[in-house]
Amino acid sequence: MKAVLLAAGEGTRIRPLSADVPKPMLPVADRPLVAHTADAAIDAGATELVLVVGYEADAVRDYFGDSYRDTPVSYAVQERQRGTADAVAAASDHLTDEPFAVLNGDNLYDPDSIARLFDAAPAVAAVEVDDPRNYGVLETADGAVTGIVEKPEEPPSTLANAGAYVFPGDARDWLEVPESDRGEYEITDVIARVIDTYTVTPVTLERWLDVGRPWELLSANEWKLADLERRLDGDVSDDADLRGAVVVEDGATVEPGVVIEGPAIVRSGASVGPNAYVRGATLIDRDASVGNAVEIKNSVLMTGATVSHLSYVGDSLLGRNVNFGAGTTVANLRHDDEPVSLDVKGDRVSTDRRKFGVVVGPDVKTGINSSLYPGVKLSAGATTLPGEVVDRDR
Ligand code: TTP
């Protein structure tokens, strides 16, 4: 079965991390987010991937090329983000009369559940949630999906739409749907037409994560890093103490005096130490650098990010080529113990995390001894002065 992966979105809610890379290409453990979606599809039996690309499409093409894990990959371009039905319609030339799967390229799925979804075709994946009012909610009767209602005041079930579907081949002719109230062409309107002709099975996923906002990228890394198996292929000093599920890739360096508590990955080209303390779940991506007397905890340092001296980074996301000056300190806990909140497209939104640090866009440079408040976002290329206390976004 072909699997269409929707990866055309920019990810406006996850800005500034998506300033130079589309959200589906943000790193989760040792690969981009959308590669985990591809893995779930392939593990479930997908024989071909069709990636729908748009914003910063080349980043996706460069990663996957024309084959991924021996599975052919092709691309469909969605010029403008006009909705999920429009995204699948962009891929219609790649589809045949056979059933096809559609998966959101920014969601993590457990592969076993996706295998059950594929077996149940036509089918819609769902997750059990306590409060479904902010989701598309499945209506069901006699074990079949009878409708999906967007963000209902009175939800008909606790089954939230998880953005994974298997359509019958006919659905290729049903992709042109009317514009919705929010001005998009929605895949749920395609499902409504499938329901008219077919019995559509709801398949409840064991585990699912929609990566929309910055802290959800941290959750995604926590999920995938928890599956790590210890592997030390890089250059690790005899005087380093690596505890638990730690991966040091070939081409990475860990210097004397370093303590790493897994789960953590130090990717190829990255260096840690001397005398640094890294606590899981942490990703130190390619060519990133963690220097002397630096402590990193539960964080993601993207490609080329550098924290060289005497700094603390906790529960934070650092974009590509960020440079933290000596003594930069991230606060990740409020004195009132309230969950840390963040500005997401103009709204203050709780992360539901007691501990959360900062979200730092690519190429940001902090001056020495900068102090960063919890929940602060620094946009791409921003700078701070030496000794500055940064208590709001910039
Ligand atoms: P969203 O998360 O709704 O959109 P987004 O990824 O652009 O993020 P944001 O809302 O923060 O701007 O999209 C769900 C999935 O569908 C995601 O994998 C992107 C994909 N998508 C497309 O490929 N084309 C589209 O037109 C839309 C709306 C979404």
Side-chain angles (χ1 to χ4, degrees):
M1 180 158 62
K2 289 192 183 187
V4 179
L5 309 186
L6 305 185
E10 174 190 339
T12 50
R13 289 166 300 150
I14 209 160
R15 286 175 182 163
L17 300 174
S18 55
D20 61 346
V21 72
K23 181 175 65 177
M25 290 303 293
L26 288 170
V28 175
D30 65 348
R31 61 198 66 190
L33 175 56
V34 62
H36 293 281
T37 322
D39 288 338
I42 292 168
D43 292 345
T47 50
E48 203 177 322
L49 303 178
V50 182
L51 284 155
V52 180
V53 291
Y55 176 76
E56 299 280 357
D58 285 349
V60 185
R61 290 180 201 270
D62 289 349
Y63 183 83
F64 286 96
D66 55 14
S67 160
Y68 176 74
R69 288 182 47 193
D70 297 328
T71 307
V73 177
S74 58
Y75 299 88
V77 178
Q78 186 193 23
E79 298 290 353
R80 283 196 303 128
Q81 259 194 283
R82 301 193 307 165
T84 40
D86 182 68
V88 182
S92 59
D93 288 349
H94 299 252
L95 302 174
T96 64
D97 293 340
E98 298 295 313
F100 60 94
V102 175
L103 305 176
N104 280 350
D106 58 356
N107 287 190
L108 288 184
Y109 303 99
D110 72 289
D112 292 347
S113 296
I114 295 301
R116 283 191 290 113
L117 179 81
F118 283 14
D119 288 344
V124 175
V127 274
E128 283 278 2
V129 291
D130 293 335
D131 183 1
R133 283 176 301 179
N134 271 326
Y135 296 86
V137 181
L138 271 58
E139 273 173 336
T140 59
D142 302 326
V145 183
T146 53
I148 300 182
V149 250
E150 272 311 310
K151 301 187 177 160
E153 274 298 309
E154 291 182 26
S157 75
T158 50
L159 293 176
N161 178 6
Y165 321 87
V166 182
F167 290 100
D170 308 10
R172 198 174 41 148
D173 300 325
W174 302 335
L175 297 173
E176 286 194 15
V177 293
E179 204 174 338
S180 69
D181 291 344
R182 61 171 179 175
E184 290 193 7
Y185 301 92
E186 317 266 359
I187 203 162
T188 43
D189 288 328
V190 182
I191 294 164
R193 298 183 65 172
V194 176
I195 287 168
D196 286 344
T197 314
Y198 290 87
T199 300
V200 175
T201 308
V203 174
T204 307
L205 304 180
E206 291 295 323
R207 201 167 173 194
W208 172 76
L209 178 68
D210 180 20
V211 180
R213 288 104 29 116
W215 60 92
E216 286 155 351
L217 187 66
L218 213 49
S219 305
N221 275 281
E222 288 161 0
W223 173 346
K224 290 297 168 183
L225 289 170
D227 297 338
L228 271 193
E229 285 178 24
R230 184 179 170 93
R231 180 165 52 84
L232 305 180
D233 293 336
D235 185 3
V236 179
S237 163
D238 290 342
D239 292 327
D241 181 2
L242 274 43
R243 304 172 188 165
V246 176
V247 170
V248 180
E249 290 185 353
D250 187 23
T253 312
V254 177
E255 308 253 18
V258 168
V259 175
I260 305 181
E261 290 169 2
I265 304 188
V266 184
R267 298 213 59 204
S268 184
S271 66
V272 181
N275 302 320
Y277 181 28
V278 176
R279 291 190 277 150
T282 287
L283 162 62
I284 298 171
D285 212 340
R286 292 214 166 121
D287 304 321
S289 161
V290 173
N292 179 49
V294 168
E295 179 173 348
I296 309 278
K297 176 236 162 185
N298 195 46
S299 292
V300 173
L301 271 60
M302 296 186 199
T303 304
T306 301
V307 184
S308 296
H309 335 262
L310 303 160
S311 294
Y312 175 68
V313 176
D315 305 282
S316 294
L317 298 145
L318 272 53
R320 292 187 191 199
N321 301 320
V322 161
N323 194 309
F324 271 13
T328 296
T329 302
V330 171
N332 60 342
L333 177 67
R334 292 167 52 114
H335 283 164
D336 60 9
D337 252 354
E338 287 296 311
V340 176
S341 52
L342 237 71
D343 182 274
V344 178
K345 293 179 90 175
D347 291 327
R348 207 71 201 162
V349 183
S350 172
T351 61
D352 287 328
R353 284 171 178 261
R354 201 173 137 259
K355 290 199 174 163
F356 187 79
V358 293
V359 181
V360 185
D363 303 312
V364 163
K365 290 184 170 57
T366 62
I368 57 160
N369 292 330
S370 291
S371 298
L372 310 178
Y373 267 47
V376 155
K377 289 197 293 183
L378 299 176
S379 57
T383 56
T384 69
L385 292 171
E388 239 192 297
V389 176
V390 184
D391 64 355
R392 63 199 60 202
D393 296 354
R394 63 173 61 173

